[in-house]
């Protein structure tokens, strides 16, 4: 009898602890926007069906004193690509907009931050050094949480193109654009983001991503055909700073991606950026919070030696600091290129640290907890 | 090979005459459908060099051109977007380069995309471009292994490496300007 009670108590404790861990994954990290923030909105303000659900997510607006264009920055489309949402968090906590408007959705697929990808062994959280000590961030998944959308179809039929994709891509936000008002959970999030772009008359969309070091489109800006001139100027400038970037056109026949559908279905110039994330790659070795932050991996260094990666990968790895720095600098150069091509619609901002500053001190040192 | 030889003689002849062989308008195309052609487009625009940009230019487009600039390096996304296979792209490039040689239209090949535009997809385009051009530019990062240097040495054509694409403005402008002197 006593033995049974002890077992029951231990089991209850295990359930309680793991339940707590699971619930903690649903807790959004607190962000500390700069005083330059003009409005804090929710995505459901643009599509009320999302209100109160896991898909509803924050929209931060920074409006300059002078009128100009509107830039939308999307982080956290894929939540196992931490540089994408951390770059957005960093902008939220450093931005000072003088002209035009910057909108930031740091957790574009908020549901994807509430779980890990099965079988990847990813950590639930990782820590970053800031001026106020260590700050913890969640590592999420590429896909919407099955709790929000289940089960996957055998074949996912993209709307409206009718292109066939693998079933799990029905929960991949970047295969669900332009979205559907009466579609799946993920399609509704995509629809809401497209609505935001239309209602706010967004001129330039920058969708932040990461990819495996062996993925062919990496250290790249991908652009819709209407955004190619803007992206070309930005890439030339980035290359001029000694940063490896390539410019890739959005394929016309590959549907569901932001750079294709947002460019086709809204007036915005649609762009997407990729940095190299070892913790996402297939060739990686030991997977833990260290790997996410340091981006160091012996297996990848070896893979690079035998030319199996698309980016150089030395023993020093590709740390989160460099990946965040690339996204910040890439964003800056895209906006500057946009300004050069769109007189009267300029967006001017300061506050965000430079590439060199982030690489030297670490992005965490620029994050604020007392704005 | 013989055509190239003839063209080399032609170029030295016009150079001796105090006239640059590199006349405008330029036909700007790519070799491998990478978007790097847009970088060259930016540079030519900035330098005021008259050009037409046709990523999929054909032999007929040479009729109105006096110089061909080909930005080399492959992109799978670019080939996909242009709906052309790597083999067909090689065939298009070959026809264009051979026709330029036959028409005594000088060819400038440029590799602008760094390491990203090297390797198994890109190098067939790179090799063809450097083998059939009269002047070669490369942006740092694209020739760390001396791949282009070696080929231009063998062919004895001018080779210039610049730090960044924007630095191509001045040497290009110079190519299209009559040599000083006399
Ligand atoms: Zn992604």
């Amino acid at each position: 009898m006593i033995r049974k009670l002890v077992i029951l108590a231990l089991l209850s404790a295990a359930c309680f602890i793991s339940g707590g861990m699971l619930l903690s994954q649903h807790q959004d990290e607190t962000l500390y926007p700069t005083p330059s923030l003009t409005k804090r909105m929710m995505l459901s303000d643009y599509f009320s069906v999302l209100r109160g659900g896991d898909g509803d997510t924050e929209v931060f607006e920074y409006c300059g004193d002078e009128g100009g264009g509107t830039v939308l920055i999307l982080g956290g489309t894929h939540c196992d690509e931490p540089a994408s949402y951390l770059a957005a968090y960093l902008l939220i906590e450093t931005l000072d907009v003088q002209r035009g408007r910057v909108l930031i959705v740091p957790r574009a697929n908020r549901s994807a931050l509430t779980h890990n990808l099965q079988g990847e062994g990813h950590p639930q959280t990782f820590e970053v050094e800031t001026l106020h000590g260590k700050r913890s961030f969640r590592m999420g998944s590429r896909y919407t949480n099955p709790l929000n959308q289940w089960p996957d179809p055998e074949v996912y039929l993209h709307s409206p193109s009718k292109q066939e994709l693998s079933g799990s891509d029905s929960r991949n936000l970047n295969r669900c654009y332009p979205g559907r008002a009466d579609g799946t959970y993920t399609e509704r999030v995509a629809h809401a983001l497209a609505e935001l772009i239309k209602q706010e008359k967004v001129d330039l969309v920058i969708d932040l991503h990461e990819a495996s070091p062996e993925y062919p489109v990496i250290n790249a800006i991908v652009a819709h055909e209407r955004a190619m001139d803007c992206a070309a100027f930005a890439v030339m400038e980035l290359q001029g700073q000694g940063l490896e970037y390539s410019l890739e056109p959005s394929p016309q026949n590959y549907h569901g991606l932001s750079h294709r559908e947002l460019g086709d279905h809204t007036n915005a110039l649609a762009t997407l950026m990729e940095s190299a994330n070892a913790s996402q790659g297939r060739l990686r070795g030991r997977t833990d919070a260290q790997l996410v932050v340091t981006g160091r991996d012996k297996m990848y260094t070896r893979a690079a030696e035998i030319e199996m990666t698309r980016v150089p990968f030395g023993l020093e790895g590709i740390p989160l600091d460099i990946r965040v720095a690339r996204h910040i600098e890439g964003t800056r150069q895209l906006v500057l290129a946009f300004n050069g091509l769109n007189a009267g619609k300029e967006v001017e901002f300061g506050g965000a640290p430079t590439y060199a500053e982030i690489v030297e001190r670490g992005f965490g040192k620029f994050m604020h907890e007392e704005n | 090979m013989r055509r190239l030889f003839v063209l080399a003689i032609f170029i030295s002849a016009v150079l001796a005459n105090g006239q640059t062989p590199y006349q405008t308008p330029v036909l700007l195309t790519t070799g491998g459908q990478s978007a790097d052609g847009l970088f060259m487009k930016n540079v030519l625009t900035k330098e005021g060099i008259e050009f037409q940009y046709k990523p999929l230019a054909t032999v007929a487009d040479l009729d109105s051109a006096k110089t061909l600039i080909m930005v080399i390096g492959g992109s799978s996304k670019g080939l996909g977007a242009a709906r052309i296979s790597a083999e067909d792209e090689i065939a298009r490039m070959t026809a264009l380069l051979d026709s330029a040689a036959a028409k005594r239209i000088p060819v400038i090949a440029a590799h602008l995309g760094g390491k990203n535009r090297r390797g198994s997809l890109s190098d067939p385009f790179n090799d063809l471009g450097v083998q059939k051009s009269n002047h070669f530019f490369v942006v740092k990062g694209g020739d760390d292994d001396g791949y282009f240097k070696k080929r231009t040495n063998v062919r004895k054509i001018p080779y210039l490496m610049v730090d960044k694409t924007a630095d191509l403005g001045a040497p290009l402008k110079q190519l299209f300007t009559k040599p000083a002197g006399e």
Side-chain angles (χ1 to χ4, degrees):
Chain A
M1 187 61 198
I2 289 181
R3 212 170 113 189
K4 279 185 180 157
L5 278 175
V6 169
I7 290 173
L8 188 67
L10 284 173
L11 276 176
S12 308
C15 288
F16 187 77
I17 292 167
S18 55
M21 281 166 79
L22 279 176
L23 276 178
S24 73
Q25 288 291 100
H26 286 256
Q27 192 65 49
D28 285 346
E29 293 85 352
T30 308
L31 298 175
Y32 305 88
T34 62
S36 184
L37 181 81
T38 39
K39 237 196 281 180
R40 200 163 175 163
M41 301 170 288
M42 295 302 288
L43 188 56
S44 56
D45 296 344
Y46 303 92
F47 181 49
S48 60
V49 172
L50 292 184
R51 182 133 12 244
D54 283 345
D56 205 4
T57 190
E58 286 187 295
V59 182
F60 297 80
E61 184 204 66
Y62 294 79
C63 212
D65 289 336
E66 266 184 273
T70 299
V71 175
L72 170 67
I73 296 159
L74 298 176
T77 292
H78 294 144
C79 296
D80 54 349
E81 300 170 8
S84 82
Y85 48 93
L86 287 167
Y89 295 173
L90 181 61
L91 286 172
I92 286 168
E93 300 192 0
T94 55
L95 214 53
D96 175 24
V97 176
Q98 291 101 32
R99 188 169 179 185
R101 207 154 57 121
V102 177
L103 298 170
I104 305 175
V105 181
R107 307 173 183 109
N109 190 356
R110 185 162 158 267
S111 163
L113 261 178
T114 63
H115 72 132
N116 282 134
L117 207 52
Q118 267 176 19
E120 292 289 322
H122 282 153
Q124 283 193 315
T125 57
F126 55 90
E127 286 183 329
V128 172
E129 198 72 56
T130 74
L131 289 177
H132 316 271
K134 284 194 192 318
R135 197 158 150 186
S136 175
F137 297 99
R138 286 171 296 167
M139 173 88 170
S141 159
R142 181 174 181 83
Y143 301 108
T144 299
N145 193 327
L147 288 175
N148 296 113
Q149 185 177 323
W150 189 85
D152 289 341
E154 287 280 317
V155 174
Y156 159 49
L157 206 61
H158 171 260
S159 173
S161 74
K162 298 207 161 55
Q163 175 178 273
E164 292 184 354
L165 291 156
S166 82
S168 60
D169 271 333
S170 67
R171 286 183 290 119
N172 177 348
L173 175 59
N174 206 26
R175 296 296 180 277
C176 284
Y177 288 109
R180 274 196 304 168
D182 58 351
T184 62
Y185 164 94
T186 315
E187 284 175 319
R188 291 200 300 264
V189 172
H191 172 77
L193 288 165
E195 275 302 305
L196 181 162
I197 291 166
K198 288 177 198 164
Q199 293 175 31
E200 296 292 355
K201 299 189 171 62
V202 170
D203 297 295
L204 172 65
V205 176
I206 305 173
D207 188 10
L208 302 175
H209 284 258
E210 297 204 85
S212 321
E214 70 274 23
Y215 187 66
V217 180
I218 196 141
N219 283 354
I221 296 183
V222 187
H224 186 266
E225 48 273 21
R226 286 190 292 111
M228 278 302 265
D229 278 332
C230 174
F233 275 109
V235 169
M236 265 179 74
E237 203 52 50
L238 291 160
Q239 289 174 344
Q241 293 181 26
L243 300 174
E244 277 272 339
Y245 268 88
S246 68
L247 173 62
E248 301 292 347
S250 168
Q252 249 136 12
N253 41 5
Y254 191 8
H255 289 283
L257 293 105
S258 62
H259 47 75
R260 168 53 41 212
E261 308 298 342
L262 295 175
D264 281 356
H265 293 269
T266 76
N267 292 325
L269 302 180
T271 65
L272 178 149
M273 273 195 282
E274 300 271 15
S275 58
N277 170 20
S279 65
Q280 213 184 337
R282 300 265 65 89
L283 308 177
R284 68 178 188 268
R286 182 179 169 161
T287 304
D288 53 15
Q290 273 304 95
L291 175 62
V292 173
V293 177
T294 64
R296 268 198 292 267
D297 183 288
K298 277 188 295 196
M299 305 307 283
Y300 266 112
T301 302
R302 175 78 191 108
E305 283 163 13
I306 54 174
E307 294 184 348
M308 285 187 68
T309 62
R310 297 299 185 110
V311 285
F313 205 105
L315 283 168
E316 69 289 357
I318 307 177
L320 199 45
D321 284 328
I322 285 188
R323 286 136 57 195
V324 169
R326 289 178 67 93
H327 280 347
I328 299 292
E329 195 55 38
T331 297
R332 191 190 336 266
Q333 293 306 333
L334 275 170
V335 172
L336 286 173
F338 172 83
N339 291 348
L341 293 164
N342 296 277
K345 285 197 153 191
E346 289 91 341
V347 175
E348 284 167 13
F349 67 85
T354 65
Y355 179 86
E357 284 171 336
I358 298 174
V359 171
E360 193 196 322
R361 296 184 54 203
F363 72 88
K365 297 284 162 54
F366 295 92
M367 298 192 84
H368 293 284
E369 287 177 21
E370 50 198 23
N371 271 314
Chain B
M1 197 62 220
R2 196 151 142 212
R3 273 179 185 162
L4 280 172
F5 184 66
V6 172
L7 186 65
I9 291 179
F10 168 75
I11 288 176
S12 26
V14 276
L15 278 176
N17 250 333
Q19 198 191 16
T20 169
Y22 297 96
Q23 306 281 327
T24 55
V26 168
L27 174 62
L28 170 62
T29 192
T30 74
Q33 294 305 312
S34 87
D36 301 353
L38 288 171
F39 304 152
M40 186 60 88
K41 181 182 156 197
N42 286 347
V43 173
L44 295 177
T45 306
K46 204 163 151 239
E47 295 300 330
I49 297 168
E50 191 192 342
F51 72 98
Q52 238 200 334
Y53 178 46
K54 292 199 170 176
L56 284 165
T58 61
V59 170
D61 294 311
L62 280 173
D63 290 348
S64 49
K66 292 190 171 144
T67 300
L68 175 65
I69 299 184
M70 188 176 274
V71 177
I72 53 178
S75 154
S76 50
K77 272 207 152 92
L79 290 164
R83 296 171 194 228
I84 186 168
S85 68
E87 297 75 53
D88 289 349
E89 176 68 353
I90 289 279
R92 184 188 69 87
M93 286 171 69
T94 308
L96 200 57
L97 291 163
D98 287 348
S99 173
K103 291 176 175 164
R104 299 184 169 185
I105 294 174
V107 179
I108 300 168
H111 185 275
L112 313 179
K115 283 190 195 70
N116 277 325
R117 302 283 183 234
R118 288 292 315 281
S120 55
L121 172 71
S122 285
D123 283 349
F125 305 120
N126 291 334
D127 186 53
L128 185 57
V130 74
Q131 293 298 351
K132 292 187 184 247
S133 55
N134 312 103
H135 203 104
F136 185 77
F137 292 114
V138 62
V139 171
K140 218 164 119 185
D143 201 20
D144 291 350
D145 55 355
Y147 176 93
F148 292 116
K149 182 79 197 155
K150 197 171 84 194
R151 284 163 171 76
T152 52
N153 276 347
V154 170
R155 295 200 47 234
K156 298 188 171 54
I157 62 166
Y159 166 104
L160 180 70
M161 184 187 278
V162 292
D163 278 346
K164 49 186 198 288
T165 303
D167 296 343
L168 283 176
L172 267 171
K173 184 86 186 167
Q174 210 182 0
L175 270 189
F176 285 91
T177 311
K178 277 185 187 172
E182 304 278 303

